[in-house]
């Protein structure tokens, strides 16, 4: 069955990465990372962006994610996001360099404060907002209800199930950071039920604001092709017939342009894309 | 009365030593204080006799002497155990706090202090066993201030073995009670503590 490309329009840049390199001591981990993502708008639909990073182990995905979230200082280059606190000038939203906390970061372990209940975790995430205490309470209760966490609002992370913990970690970062969310291998080691839960969380985030942008990494290529509207392949480049040792972006698959994004079913064209990605990854 | 005296001594020494140790350990990420904390941790191999000799030149009051010896002894062990707790805080927890826009003080407060208070109580519980054992020795060095150690020393002097065994049992039971109390305190105050 062939896919039909769905209509969309691209607006301003929401993420711009320029000449990014990160080194630990003398060892370069990633180098020359350049990409831009734009705000994608679909007619009669509120929808954010889902960007996937694929690559074999040790190619620098986690390091890139730490740099994207401002947790790692790059050796060169910069990561820019729109500065929404400033007004638009000449039709352009001023940009700012990403700082710690601008981009939410959820690691593989879904780390939470071990001494805070789910409710207090979310309250803490909202501490820097200008909302009043009743407004914060109302917002938290609404999110807890939407995300199916109201029954465990007074529980500590140690007593949450894997799925509840994931949703709390994602929600916490969403409330704290605003529109951007980076998830490092969110599907790693999950059973099918929890994979469905994370997919549902992606959908909830994606549909709640057009600027909401999810960036994730995974080793499940089919899942990445199914969920993302943009895929970047990270790997080692071949230099003088030999494989290098520094991660960089090898290829970008714009699934919107390819007519593969936002489809209800997985088609032969999706599988072709999966095969292309596999071949590329094997050579990197 | 003697049990009360020993407990009071133990309590006073514990409060002082935990305060000193916590301040030092929580400040140890500062480059200036890190070598000091590590050196103090290594000094736990210093014999008590060596410490009492120097302390005797500085302190004249028997009770103060007892407290000082115990505070020094306990602090060296507390510092060692607390440094291990600090070292075991996963980097992901620090990153998690940073990703929530926490300042350095907030990271210290939320992750290191509040997030590890139950570990501090457990460190206290584990080290208290050694302190409780030391208490008898410290009290028997300085007889004038009384306590269970003095009773044991006197019984030993008159070869009253039955009394020694009875006192040992009392010391064991009070120690076990303290251990149970601290464990119960941790479990009730820190519901999230699962170890």
């Amino acid at each position: 069955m062939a896919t039909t490309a769905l209509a969309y329009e691209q607006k301003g840049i929401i993420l711009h990465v320029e000449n990014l390199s990160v080194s630990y001591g003398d060892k370069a981990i990633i180098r020359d990372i350049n990409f831009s993502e734009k705000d994608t708008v679909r007619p009669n639909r509120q929808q954010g962006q889902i960007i996937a990073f694929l690559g074999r182990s040790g190619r620098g995905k986690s390091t890139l994610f730490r740099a994207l979230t401002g947790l790692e200082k790059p050796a060169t280059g910069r990561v820019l996001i729109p500065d929404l606190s400033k007004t638009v000038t000449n039709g352009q939203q001023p940009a700012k360099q990403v700082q710690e906390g601008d981009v939410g970061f959820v690691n593989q372990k879904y780390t939470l404060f071990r001494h805070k209940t789910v409710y207090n975790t979310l309250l803490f995430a909202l501490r820097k907002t200008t909302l009043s205490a009743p407004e914060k309470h109302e917002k938290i209760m609404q999110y807890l209800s939407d995300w199916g966490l109201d029954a465990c609002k007074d529980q500590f992370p140690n007593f949450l199930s894997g799925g509840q913990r994931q949703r709390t970690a994602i929600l916490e970062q969403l409330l704290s950071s605003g529109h951007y969310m980076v998830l490092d291998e969110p599907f790693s080691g999950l059973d099918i039920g929890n994979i469905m839960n994370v997919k549902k969380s992606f959908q909830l985030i994606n549909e709640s604001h057009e600027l909401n942008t999810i960036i994730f990494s995974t080793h499940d290529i089919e899942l990445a092709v199914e969920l993302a509207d943009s895929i970047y392949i990270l790997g080692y480049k071949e230099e003088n017939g030999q494989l290098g040792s520094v991660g960089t972006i090898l290829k970008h698959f714009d699934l919107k342009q390819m007519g593969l994004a936002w489809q209800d079913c997985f088609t032969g064209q999706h599988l072709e894309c999966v095969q292309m990605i596999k071949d590329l990854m094997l050579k990197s | 009365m003697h049990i009360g005296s020993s407990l009071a001594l133990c309590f006073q020494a514990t409060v002082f030593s935990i305060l000193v140790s916590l301040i030092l350990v929580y400040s140890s990420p500062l480059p200036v204080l890190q070598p000091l904390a590590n050196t103090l941790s290594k000094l736990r191999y210093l014999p008590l006799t060596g410490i009492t000799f120097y302390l005797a030149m500085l302190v004249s009051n028997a009770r103060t002497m007892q407290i000082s010896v115990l505070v020094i002894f306990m602090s060296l062990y507390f510092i060692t155990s607390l440094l291990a707790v600090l070292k075991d805080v996963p980097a992901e927890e620090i990153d998690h706090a940073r990703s929530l826009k926490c300042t350095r003080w907030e990271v210290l407060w939320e992750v290191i202090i509040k997030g590890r208070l139950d570990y501090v109580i457990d460190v206290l519980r584990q080290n208290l066993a050694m302190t409780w054992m030391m208490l008898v020795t410290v009290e028997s060095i300085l007889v004038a201030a009384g306590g269970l150690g003095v009773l044991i020393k006197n019984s030993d002097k008159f070869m009253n073995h039955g009394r020694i065994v009875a006192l040992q049992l009392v010391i064991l039971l009070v120690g076990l009670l303290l251990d149970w109390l601290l464990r119960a305190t941790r479990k009730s105050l820190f519901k999230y503590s699962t170890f």
Side-chain angles (χ1 to χ4, degrees), chain A residues 137-176:
Chain A
H137 175 75
E138 199 180 324
K139 187 169 183 169
I140 291 169
M141 294 312 287
Q142 185 60 51
Y143 270 105
L144 288 174
S145 167
D146 291 347
W147 288 57
L149 290 166
D150 31 9
C152 58
K153 74 179 178 67
D154 297 319
Q155 282 185 21
F156 290 103
N158 277 346
F159 305 105
L160 297 176
S161 70
Q164 288 167 336
R165 197 183 168 99
Q166 288 153 15
R167 276 174 279 158
T168 309
I170 294 172
L171 199 48
E172 177 196 41
Q173 295 291 337
L174 187 69
L175 291 179
S176 171

Side-chain angles (χ1 to χ4, degrees), chain A residues 66 100 114 128 158 172, chain B residues 95-96 98 101 115 118 192:
Chain A
R66 288 177 60 78
E100 272 179 30
R114 56 191 294 273
K128 297 214 168 166
N158 277 346
E172 177 196 41
Chain B
D95 282 346
H96 166 248
R98 287 171 64 199
K101 301 175 191 162
D118 54 333
Y192 54 85

Side-chain angles (χ1 to χ4, degrees), chain A residues 66 70-71 100-101 105 107 109 111-116 124 127-128 156 158-159 172-173 176, chain B residues 92-93 95-103 106 110-111 114-116 118-119 191-195:
Chain A
R66 288 177 60 78
L71 294 173
E100 272 179 30
F105 182 55
N107 63 25
K109 293 180 186 167
T111 305
L112 291 164
F113 288 118
R114 56 191 294 273
H115 60 286
K116 287 190 194 295
F124 186 80
R127 75 198 185 288
K128 297 214 168 166
F156 290 103
N158 277 346
F159 305 105
E172 177 196 41
Q173 295 291 337
S176 171
Chain B
E92 298 99 62
E93 287 194 32
D95 282 346
H96 166 248
R98 287 171 64 199
S99 72
L100 293 170
K101 301 175 191 162
C102 284
T103 60
E106 280 179 312
E110 293 294 340
V111 182
K114 273 169 83 181
R116 288 291 178 280
D118 54 333
Y119 282 87
K191 303 275 186 210
Y192 54 85
S193 193
T194 47
F195 57 88

